[in-house]
């Protein structure tokens, strides 16, 4: 492994990835609060401070290892506690689940806007290249995270949505695979079983980014 290359890639991807998973989780908490669940707020988790959401394994160790190995970036933050209880209608559970991916799509749009603005401002070749690469990383990581989380596997958000639309008894049984669901997902990522999602998404984002770059140079 080339240490210099690893550290350079880490400097590009770390900030977008940290804020992607942080705002993803905070969005769940804010959506739950809108339905009367203040659990995350009372625990101090409705914070944009990434340190409050870091999971040593999912936020640091595994993403760093994947980045070093050149594999698709994958990770997670400490889940936001949601306790809607009897107040939680199917609609509220679906909205809370979709809030995370929606936040990632919004962040991807913000990174796009930043990329377009940076192309009109010249700070210096080295800084320009680094920040432009970070903006591109922010676009890719947020779109991939949004789509990945919509896979219908508990405890991913898509799994929660599916459990909410299934008949109550079936949905309850489906949710019981959540404790092992993340292990299954991680194993499938390592085995490259999600390339059908990662590769086309990254190619599509690359084409869009290239179009923006070419358009700004014209």
């Amino acid at each position: 492994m080339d240490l210099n290359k690893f550290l350079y890639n880490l400097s590009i991807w770390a900030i977008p990835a940290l804020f992607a998973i942080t705002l993803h989780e905070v969005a769940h908490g804010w959506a739950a609060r809108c339905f009367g669940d203040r659990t995350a707020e009372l625990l101090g988790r409705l914070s944009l401070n990434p340190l409050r959401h870091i999971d040593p394994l999912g936020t640091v160790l595994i993403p760093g290892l994947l980045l070093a190995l050149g594999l698709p970036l994958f990770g997670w933050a400490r889940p936001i506690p949601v306790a809607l209880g009897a107040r939680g209608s199917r609609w509220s559970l679906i909205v809370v689940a979709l809030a995370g991916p929606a936040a990632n799509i919004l962040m991807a749009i913000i990174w796009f806007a930043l990329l377009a603005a940076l192309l009109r401002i010249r700070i210096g070749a080295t800084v320009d290249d680094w920040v432009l690469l970070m903006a591109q990383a922010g676009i890719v990581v947020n779109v991939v995270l949004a789509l990945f989380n919509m896979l219908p596997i508990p405890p991913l958000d898509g799994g929660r949505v599916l459990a909410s639309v299934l008949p109550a008894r079936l949905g309850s049984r489906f949710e019981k695979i959540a404790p092992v669901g993340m292990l299954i997902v991680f194993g499938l990522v390592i085995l490259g079983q999600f390339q059908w999602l990662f590769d086309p998404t990254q190619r599509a984002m690359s084409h869009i980014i290239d179009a923006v770059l070419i358009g700004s140079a014209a």
Side-chain angles (χ1 to χ4, degrees), residues 2-218:
D2 186 330
L3 182 59
N4 290 332
K5 182 178 180 181
F6 170 73
L7 292 176
Y8 183 68
N9 287 335
L10 182 63
S11 73
I12 291 169
W13 288 89
I15 292 176
L18 273 175
F19 279 100
I21 58 178
T22 294
L23 275 97
H24 180 102
E25 292 299 332
V26 170
H28 288 311
W30 275 111
R33 189 180 185 279
C34 290
F35 290 102
D37 177 12
R38 298 184 61 205
T39 307
E41 180 185 11
L42 295 174
L43 292 174
R45 296 294 307 282
L46 293 187
S47 169
L48 297 181
N49 180 359
L51 295 179
R52 290 182 176 270
H53 305 280
I54 287 177
D55 178 281
L57 181 64
T59 313
V60 180
L61 183 60
I62 288 177
L65 180 61
L66 294 175
L67 189 62
L69 296 174
L71 296 172
L73 199 61
F74 168 76
W76 60 88
R78 291 168 54 208
I80 284 284
V82 175
L84 288 172
R87 294 168 299 181
S89 65
R90 289 192 177 195
W91 168 246
S92 65
L93 293 172
I94 291 172
V95 170
V96 171
L98 291 177
N104 289 126
I105 295 300
L106 176 60
M107 278 187 284
I109 294 171
I110 292 173
W111 280 112
F112 260 119
L114 178 60
L115 176 63
L118 288 170
L119 292 171
R120 297 178 178 274
I121 303 172
R122 295 302 174 187
I123 305 171
T126 301
V127 177
D128 278 351
D129 289 346
W130 182 70
V131 178
L132 287 173
L133 287 173
M134 183 183 292
Q136 294 174 53
I139 295 166
V140 172
V141 75
N142 276 287
V143 173
V144 169
L145 187 61
L147 295 178
F148 180 77
N149 269 280
M150 287 311 299
L151 293 173
I153 307 172
L156 299 180
D157 299 323
R160 294 193 178 114
V161 171
L162 181 56
S164 298
V165 300
L166 288 172
R169 182 175 297 180
L170 184 57
S172 178
R173 290 179 180 176
F174 183 63
E175 284 188 314
K176 288 181 179 179
I177 72 171
V180 297
M182 188 56 72
L183 293 177
I184 294 172
V185 168
F186 179 61
L188 292 173
V189 168
I190 292 297
L191 294 173
Q193 297 303 305
F194 288 120
Q195 294 309 109
W196 59 269
L197 173 65
F198 293 138
D199 287 347
T201 301
Q202 291 182 355
R203 283 197 299 269
M205 291 301 100
S206 295
H207 290 324
I208 294 173
I209 291 169
D210 287 344
V212 173
L213 294 174
I214 292 171
S216 67

